[in-house]
Amino acid sequence: PYHPERRLTAEGNSTGRANRSIKKRYVAVLDGIVLSERTGRIELPLCLNPLDRPRQIVSKEYGKEAITEYKIISESEKIIDESERSINESRKYTRIIFYPLTGRTHQLRVHAAHPEGLGCPILGDELYGKKADRLYLHAEYIEFRHPIYGDIFRIQKKADF
């Protein structure tokens, strides 16, 4: 019989995703000001767009569960992307923390950009937003239990933006 709790995850263990024992935190800069709550949860099911690979789409019919919690840190007009300096001095940005509870392809990117999500793409996201000098998304923290020894590993690296 099929046991979804035993499916392999990208992290390589068979139970981490099912019982949420892998904790991840990403920091990002969004291109625009989010008009949602300061904290929240996005639940938009995702699947591959067969007509526009590798783009993912929101599909209630065919999509797989995708859940992201978020916390808005700040808004600013500070120039972040130096390539934009001469084009528009007054762009607005949102600094945000994402906590993905599932691990779908492009999950954070779609949840940020989609109108039913936050409605603001990640700065520098060429697929779901506009090109910049880089993609302003950074995996800041991961925590997981070693699948054999049981030790908890915590890895942290602050974003350089």
Side-chain angles (χ1 to χ4, degrees):
Y2 175 66
H3 297 283
E5 69 278 5
R6 292 188 186 160
R7 70 189 187 337
L8 288 176
T9 67
E11 289 76 21
N13 77 43
S14 62
T15 60
R17 182 68 62 211
N19 66 19
R20 308 277 191 245
S21 65
I22 298 170
K23 297 175 184 168
K24 296 180 182 181
R25 180 176 70 231
Y26 290 77
V27 64
V29 175
L30 304 185
D31 192 3
I33 299 296
V34 175
L35 301 176
S36 306
E37 298 292 321
R38 304 288 298 174
T39 61
R41 183 179 177 109
I42 302 164
E43 296 185 45
L44 295 173
L46 303 176
C47 67
L48 177 68
N49 181 344
L51 304 175
D52 191 12
R53 293 171 175 256
R55 223 176 280 269
Q56 304 292 307
I57 57 173
V58 172
S59 172
K60 308 258 192 268
E61 186 177 358
Y62 298 109
K64 293 182 179 178
E65 177 183 59
I67 304 169
T68 303
E69 292 181 347
Y70 69 89
K71 178 180 178 184
I72 294 172
I73 302 303
S74 64
E75 292 95 5
S76 77
E77 293 185 26
K78 178 181 168 194
I79 294 171
I80 296 170
D81 175 9
E82 289 298 322
S83 68
E84 293 285 328
R85 181 177 293 281
S86 61
I87 298 169
N88 187 345
E89 290 285 339
S90 62
R91 296 264 305 266
K92 296 185 192 259
Y93 303 101
T94 301
R95 189 174 187 86
I96 193 166
I97 295 177
F98 289 119
Y99 303 94
L101 301 184
T102 53
R104 303 287 169 224
T105 300
H106 298 178
Q107 176 177 320
L108 300 179
R109 296 165 71 181
V110 175
H111 282 180
H114 197 274
E116 293 178 51
L118 297 174
C120 292
I122 296 171
L123 183 62
D125 187 342
E126 294 184 56
L127 276 180
Y128 307 101
K130 291 183 258 180
K131 184 176 180 169
D133 62 326
R134 61 167 289 172
L135 178 65
Y136 285 82
L137 175 66
H138 175 76
E140 188 173 69
Y141 179 84
I142 184 168
E143 177 182 307
F144 61 93
R145 185 173 297 279
H146 189 282
I148 296 170
Y149 303 110
D151 298 342
I152 294 177
F153 285 82
R154 294 177 184 93
I155 302 165
Q156 184 165 343
K157 174 76 169 115
K158 289 283 185 195
D160 62 355
F161 56 82

